[in-house]
Amino acid sequence: MESATAEKAATEVATGSKTLADLFPLAVRKHGPNRAVLYKDDSGQWVPKTYEQVGEIVKGLSLGLMDLGIEKGDKVSLLANTRPEWTYFDFAALSAGATVVPIYQTNSPGECQYVLENSDAVAVVVEDESQLEKVRAVRDQCPKLKHVILMEGTAGDAISMDDLAARGAAGSDSDWEDRWTSVTSDDICTFIYTSGTTGPPKGCVISHGNYRSMLDMVHEANVLGDDELTYLFLPLAHSFALLIQLGSFDLGATLAYWERDPLKIVPNLSEIRPTYFPSVPRIFEKIYTAATANAEKEGGLKQAIFDWAVGVGKKVRDKERAGQSVNPLLKAQHDLADRLVLAKIRQLFGGNLKLAVTGAAPINPDILRFFDAAGVLVVEGWGMTETSTAATISRPEAFKFGTVGKPFSQCDVKIADDGEILVKGPNIFQGYYKNEEATRETIVDGWLHTGDIGEVDTDGYLKITGRKKDIIITAGGKNITPANLEAEIKQSPYVSQVVVIGDRRPFLTALVTLDMEEVAKLAQEKGWQSDPAEIAQNAEMRALLQEHIDKVNERFARVEQVKKFAILPKDLSQEGGELTPTLKVKRNVVADKYEQDIEALYA
């Protein structure tokens, strides 16, 4: 009954669209005066735009693309950061019947060339001069690429955004409507290229019907509301961010865009005070460090008060969820704990957050319990590009820390004999573009083989225990999933990334990188040199990490303990090729790049 009511409520506020092509035109009709987007301009002011205002921009750009000769089914690529213009061009291309092919803004020229050529893109929209340079470097290797469009500024070899809109001015509303109404659920809306933790990226072919069914299931779960203010920094080239964009506009909610600076994420949260915050574990880990660092540094009474307050918060949450009343003494303690500690933690998220969602990689459940104690509910979801973003969901009234929730209503999930998670549903993609062999290996008898290992508990909640390709088989034949061990080691405020090594080795070792934001403060206190490479060799720094790893090891069986570790001279990064755009570690790249360091640990 509850699910039916939630679905009815979402249906009443949603556009009723049947594809992604008609979604935004219908959103303009239904949500016209509502605020659609919020972004910071060059003067530092947050600027709102309504659905009607954005609708005019999208229509002009869409008609401009049509005037360029973009036909239904043509591939139009987007190479840009998460920003309002990404959204404008996305809906412009979709409503023109084109297939959108996103490219991560961090991709190298060679990676851009691979996607542009492999997808048969006829047009690419680039963010600025720096992204334009990437296309210039490879344009002669992309024979089907006819048009380059520039979001910012002007260039002799590209069409500016203003010029494209001017071309569209000659078109009519009926021309536009004829195009977006001609698109069916069987047509392809996007190719999303996997970020490639192993091997070259594969283009996931996703139909309008796939994404529309995904949206319908999200609305049925009732996790997004029409009054939502969502803060988005995740790359819109990734399916997670794309689903948030589509869901927000379908319901008439507001999307607030980041300032395209990682250091501005937490300040932005305080400024706009969002109600919904989708993110990845690394950001929650950073906020956790910011919340706990001062108390840990002060120690003594301050640390004791901090720990007491978090403990009181956990007790209250447990009682509330068990349907028990909070007695007067505990309530008084909670009021004090809230004033002294918990409210300050909530303020790191702006103080207005109803729900935060983390995905794309594992997160330590202790971090989720910590935030929950302070009144910030962070839950996990799970899926992949091949499921049109998601397959399971956690909701405020139905979640378990340490799990990724339950399957969506139309998704079937089962565990294969070897522990692999298999998924079936209307959101399962059409296959990999120009790669029938990989498609046949991934979709067998209608079931998507996800590559993730997991288990379903007696209440129907799915727990991810590892990745098939990441399982370490030691020389002694023991199967070990490194994710849990890595998550525990990352609990140190001084640790940024951890990669546990041990496949066909006698014992486990780890490559560790430092969180230089936190380490820089420590270096100043200790009078150390600030050079990251020198700090990586510092005996005192190493002793601190050894102490932390020793404590972590106590929680694991002997064969699962890290016996040796190396501190790498610099952090892993997207630019260095070691991280995906959602900050997942490319384990094979790290293992190849730091082969000598690994061999030294086993010497």
Side-chain angles (χ1 to χ4, degrees):
M1 183 66 184
E2 180 188 323
S3 177
T5 305
E7 186 176 12
K8 182 173 182 289
T11 303
E12 286 173 354
V13 296
T15 60
S17 85
K18 303 299 181 190
T19 67
L20 302 194
D22 67 358
L23 192 156
F24 200 76
L26 294 178
V28 174
R29 290 180 185 177
K30 183 148 191 172
H31 311 305
N34 291 8
R35 183 179 62 180
V37 301
L38 187 65
Y39 61 92
K40 191 171 272 193
D41 65 11
D42 294 337
S43 69
Q45 299 298 309
W46 287 99
V47 177
K49 273 189 168 60
T50 66
Y51 278 82
E52 288 165 344
Q53 290 172 314
V54 175
E56 286 302 308
I57 297 170
V58 169
K59 180 177 70 175
L61 294 175
S62 188
L63 288 167
L65 290 172
M66 290 162 61
D67 186 68
L68 277 184
I70 300 299
E71 299 288 346
K72 187 178 162 186
D74 279 349
K75 320 305 188 300
V76 175
S77 197
L78 297 183
L79 172 56
N81 229 306
T82 292
R83 53 188 293 161
E85 291 85 358
W86 201 106
T87 297
Y88 304 160
F89 274 104
D90 187 34
F91 282 121
L94 287 169
S95 57
T99 296
V100 176
V101 183
I103 303 178
Y104 290 108
Q105 77 278 4
T106 51
N107 278 14
S108 67
E111 290 168 327
C112 294
Q113 184 271 332
Y114 176 87
V115 174
L116 289 169
E117 185 185 21
N118 184 264
S119 68
D120 302 316
V122 299
V124 60
V125 182
V126 299
E127 180 172 12
D128 52 21
E129 183 70 24
S130 66
Q131 301 294 354
L132 179 57
E133 280 296 333
K134 295 178 185 178
V135 176
R136 284 173 176 152
V138 300
R139 190 167 184 175
D140 61 347
Q141 300 168 55
C142 305
K144 294 191 177 179
L145 187 63
K146 298 176 185 174
H147 310 290
V148 181
I149 300 156
L150 189 58
M151 287 183 184
E152 279 185 15
T154 58
D157 54 350
I159 303 163
S160 72
M161 186 171 171
D162 287 343
D163 285 347
L164 186 69
R167 293 182 73 132
S172 67
D173 288 7
S174 60
D175 292 335
W176 190 40
E177 186 165 351
D178 286 345
R179 182 66 69 88
W180 56 256
T181 55
S182 71
V183 177
T184 71
S185 60
D186 292 330
D187 290 322
I188 304 306
C189 66
T190 187
F191 293 171
I192 299 181
Y193 280 75
T194 60
S195 47
T197 54
T198 57
K202 297 190 289 286
C204 295
V205 178
I206 302 176
S207 71
H208 284 267
N210 289 147
Y211 248 122
R212 189 59 253 183
S213 67
M214 185 76 257
L215 280 171
D216 292 342
M217 287 188 280
V218 168
H219 295 336
E220 181 186 345
N222 206 31
V223 290
L224 276 173
D226 59 325
D227 58 346
E228 222 70 77
L229 172 56
T230 298
Y231 177 70
L232 193 64
F233 75 92
L234 297 169
L236 275 164
H238 189 271
S239 60
F240 187 13
L242 181 61
L243 181 63
I244 299 300
Q245 171 192 271
L246 298 171
S248 295
F249 292 129
D250 203 20
L251 296 176
T254 304
L255 205 55
Y257 298 79
W258 74 320
E259 289 188 68
R260 306 191 294 281
D261 179 351
L263 298 179
K264 298 285 181 66
I265 292 174
V266 175
N268 282 176
L269 291 172
S270 298
E271 289 172 38
I272 68 164
R273 306 179 70 233
T275 60
Y276 187 77
F277 179 46
S279 186
V280 290
R282 189 68 194 122
I283 300 303
F284 291 114
E285 290 162 359
K286 296 284 282 183
I287 297 175
Y288 172 79
T289 297
T292 57
N294 197 38
E296 287 181 3
K297 179 184 172 186
E298 294 288 333
L301 181 61
K302 192 160 189 175
Q303 178 78 64
I305 291 171
F306 188 90
D307 292 344
W308 167 82
V310 173
V312 168
K314 287 179 180 176
K315 284 181 189 175
V316 169
R317 294 284 167 264
D318 289 344
K319 284 191 172 293
E320 288 174 346
R321 296 209 174 99
Q324 300 170 2
S325 60
V326 178
N327 65 55
L329 175 59
L330 184 55
K331 185 180 184 308
Q333 290 175 334
H334 187 254
D335 289 344
L336 179 60
D338 201 64
R339 283 200 304 276
L340 294 176
V341 175
L342 306 181
K344 294 173 185 174
I345 297 171
R346 288 198 300 279
Q347 284 304 319
L348 291 171
F349 294 91
N352 205 28
L353 204 63
K354 291 192 289 189
L355 185 66
V357 178
T358 180
I363 188 169
N364 192 315
D366 289 341
I367 292 176
L368 305 183
R369 293 187 184 98
F370 169 83
F371 285 129
D372 183 50
V376 176
L377 181 59
V378 184
V379 295
E380 292 185 81
W382 171 83
M384 52 204 303
T385 309
E386 288 86 342
T387 64
S388 305
T389 304
T392 70
I393 188 168
S394 298
R395 297 180 293 159
E397 67 278 9
F399 71 92
K400 277 187 187 179
F401 292 131
T403 80
V404 293
K406 295 181 178 182
F408 281 96
S409 61
Q410 297 177 57
C411 280
D412 292 322
V413 172
K414 71 177 182 180
I415 309 298
D417 293 340
D418 63 354
E420 184 176 11
I421 303 167
L422 310 183
V423 183
K424 183 185 282 187
N427 54 324
I428 302 303
F429 78 140
Q430 304 298 302
Y432 298 111
Y433 193 54
K434 298 179 180 175
N435 197 337
E436 290 183 16
E437 183 182 352
T439 301
R440 283 194 301 271
E441 291 173 358
T442 304
I443 303 177
V444 181
D445 297 328
W447 289 93
L448 174 73
H449 288 240
T450 67
D452 281 337
I453 304 293
E455 56 196 37
V456 178
D457 72 12
T458 53
D459 295 318
Y461 288 91
L462 178 66
K463 181 178 182 179
I464 309 295
T465 55
R467 183 100 182 126
K468 278 181 83 170
K469 291 175 182 174
D470 292 346
I471 288 177
I472 292 171
I473 304 175
T474 66
K478 176 70 176 175
N479 283 24
I480 295 169
T481 302
N484 293 336
L485 185 55
E486 290 165 347
E488 290 286 343
I489 296 172
K490 282 173 72 176
Q491 284 282 71
S492 166
Y494 305 124
V495 173
S496 176
Q497 299 288 353
V498 184
V499 180
V500 171
I501 307 292
D503 202 42
R504 298 182 298 279
R505 304 279 193 171
F507 53 85
L508 300 187
T509 60
L511 300 178
V512 178
T513 67
L514 300 176
D515 185 328
M516 285 311 298
E517 252 184 89
E518 295 303 317
V519 170
K521 300 171 193 172
L522 181 66
Q524 193 170 12
E525 288 173 24
K526 301 277 190 181
W528 300 343
Q529 292 291 325
S530 59
D531 178 53
E534 287 194 26
I535 293 175
Q537 300 295 323
N538 185 292
E540 200 173 348
M541 182 75 252
R542 184 176 179 82
L544 280 171
L545 293 188
Q546 184 68 66
E547 182 183 359
H548 173 65
I549 290 172
D550 288 344
K551 287 179 182 174
V552 169
N553 279 338
E554 290 172 7
R555 298 176 219 150
F556 290 86
R558 192 168 182 80
V559 71
E560 297 174 308
Q561 295 176 358
V562 169
K563 300 295 191 292
K564 294 182 179 182
F565 70 93
I567 305 174
L568 299 182
K570 60 181 181 178
D571 204 355
L572 308 183
S573 67
Q574 295 173 59
E575 292 74 20
E578 305 103 346
L579 297 182
T580 72
T582 51
L583 308 184
K584 284 187 285 192
V585 175
K586 296 183 179 181
R587 307 178 73 89
N588 59 325
V589 173
V590 174
D592 288 345
K593 186 174 279 192
Y594 295 101
E595 184 181 4
Q596 288 186 333
D597 298 81
I598 293 168
E599 292 305 325
L601 289 170
Y602 290 98

